Amino acid sequence: MGATQRIAIVGAGLGGAAAAASLQQAGFEVDIYEQAQHFSRLGAGIHMGPNVLKIFRRQGIEKQLEAMGSHPDFWFSRSADGEYMSRIPLGDFARKEYGAAYLTVHRGDLHALQMTALKPGSVHFNKHLASLDESGSDVLLKFADGTQARADIVIGADGINSRVREHLLGVEAPTYSGWVGHRALIPAHKLAKYDFNFEDCVKWWSGDRHLMVYYTTAKRDEYYFVSGVPQAEWEGGNASYVDCSREAMFDAFKGYHPSVQALIENAEDITKWPLLNRQPLPVWSKGRMVLLGDACHPMKPHMAQGAAMAIEDGAMLARCLMETGLSDYSTGFRLYEANRKERASRVQAVSNANTWLRTQEDPSWVFGYELFDHPLKSENAA
């Protein structure tokens, strides 16, 4: 290799894009390789809390994100019959207490904004990773289109089915958790005929299932729901999702408040997704390769912090590599794991347990987190 030290990131999703922005801002040469053929407005809704907005502030995209998202004053938890179980203050309270806004937004809109924070020409599409070959001095990445690239280190930000994780730890399919999630968008104008208060951010609960509902735009013209429902077997084989009928959705939420029934009645293109798990990984890095986000610590979406943890991972990895430089990447990787594992594991456990904000609790340990203000723990603290 030449004198320039380079970082390759596999996966240009929310975590990969955030890691790239943090690393480029820190002065590193970074290329991002994404298997999709082009950028598209994928996904639906997502929560972004103050812990992430403070990272986006450093990347210069906080204000743009605030302008496009919906800003709930509360996270409400309600029982199936409509009784309030918790009222978690957000809005102005979050700005004052946690140092930044809390918002909900369309995932695709957020992703498009993140791409604007990256160095032009650094994202390479249609790059499906075929193999990795680590030598003593660098890593050779080979892609399915026949092209190759070299880098000093490789960051696996390629999700729960990470090819980088497979290279480090071997092929092992994720396990089905016994839960599915239903997702759908609802044009807000279709709800105007109802005499219900469709709140900005509300999670409806019963004993074994829930429905999370919120707006995805500043105009509040797009309402979104995502569920968590137990299901013994996943019928979709290797498919990432299957279509779901309104009738099946009505059956899953039978007896819920009439406003929930109205959401189902007006939902467009309901899909059902298997919620997958992995056991905690024995290592987060090996040699010149390191993992972040769902490639490293996948979690059920019940806490709305999965993407946030990936974004925090990227920022912390950049911070640690700034301390060590790429010439001592192995120390940087150990610092990264030492300073992320406890928090990511705690969020993973709470999210998988599906208890977050069900009752009145203090969320400051999540929302108030100041990633850049904490002194770095020793590399031996993991």
Side-chain angles (χ1 to χ4, degrees), residues 143-365:
F143 302 100
D145 66 353
T147 60
Q148 300 180 359
R150 289 186 179 274
D152 289 86
I153 65 169
V154 173
I155 299 170
D158 47 344
I160 193 168
N161 293 306
S162 168
R163 295 299 300 273
V164 180
R165 188 208 65 82
E166 286 184 4
H167 182 83
L168 294 185
L169 298 169
V171 177
E172 182 181 359
T175 57
Y176 174 57
S177 68
W179 284 60
V180 296
H182 304 85
R183 302 178 185 177
L185 286 169
I186 306 158
H189 69 85
K190 296 177 71 172
L191 302 175
K193 60 180 179 275
Y194 297 98
D195 189 24
F196 296 130
N197 177 20
F198 293 103
E199 292 159 324
D200 288 4
C201 180
V202 55
K203 188 169 182 178
W204 297 86
W205 305 73
S206 56
D208 67 347
R209 63 198 61 207
H210 68 260
L211 192 73
M212 182 83 222
V213 194
Y214 52 92
Y215 289 98
T216 62
T217 66
K219 296 181 291 185
R220 302 172 81 250
D221 59 354
E222 195 174 70
Y223 213 33
Y224 170 68
F225 69 61
V226 57
S227 78
V229 175
Q231 180 176 300
E233 302 289 339
W234 169 244
E235 72 272 33
N238 293 325
S240 57
Y241 68 90
V242 297
D243 292 332
C244 177
S245 68
R246 285 195 181 91
E247 290 70 27
M249 191 74 184
F250 279 128
D251 185 62
F253 288 91
K254 186 182 301 181
Y256 268 64
H257 191 273
S259 65
V260 172
Q261 308 305 318
L263 296 178
I264 298 171
E265 179 64 36
N266 291 277
E268 296 186 340
D269 301 324
I270 304 171
T271 54
K272 183 167 66 172
W273 302 67
L275 304 186
L276 305 176
N277 276 338
R278 285 193 186 277
Q279 293 298 314
L281 300 186
V283 295
W284 285 22
S285 66
K286 185 185 294 184
R288 293 178 176 269
M289 303 178 209
V290 64
L291 304 172
L292 63 75
D294 282 354
C296 189
H297 45 70
M299 60 191 72
K300 292 180 184 177
H302 304 332
M303 198 173 163
Q305 285 290 318
M309 291 303 102
I311 293 165
E312 287 186 7
D313 285 351
M316 182 60 78
L317 181 57
R319 183 181 174 189
C320 293
L321 290 174
M322 284 179 67
E323 289 284 321
T324 65
L326 290 191
S327 59
D328 191 11
Y329 62 84
S330 59
T331 299
F333 290 172
R334 290 194 298 271
L335 272 177
Y336 158 67
E337 184 171 349
N339 284 276
R340 287 299 299 159
K341 193 166 190 176
E342 180 180 358
R343 177 171 170 82
S345 298
R346 183 181 178 188
V347 170
Q348 183 184 41
V350 173
S351 191
N352 288 345
N354 193 26
T355 58
W356 179 242
L357 306 186
R358 182 169 183 149
T359 57
Q360 200 70 28
E361 63 176 288
D362 180 4
S364 61
W365 68 273

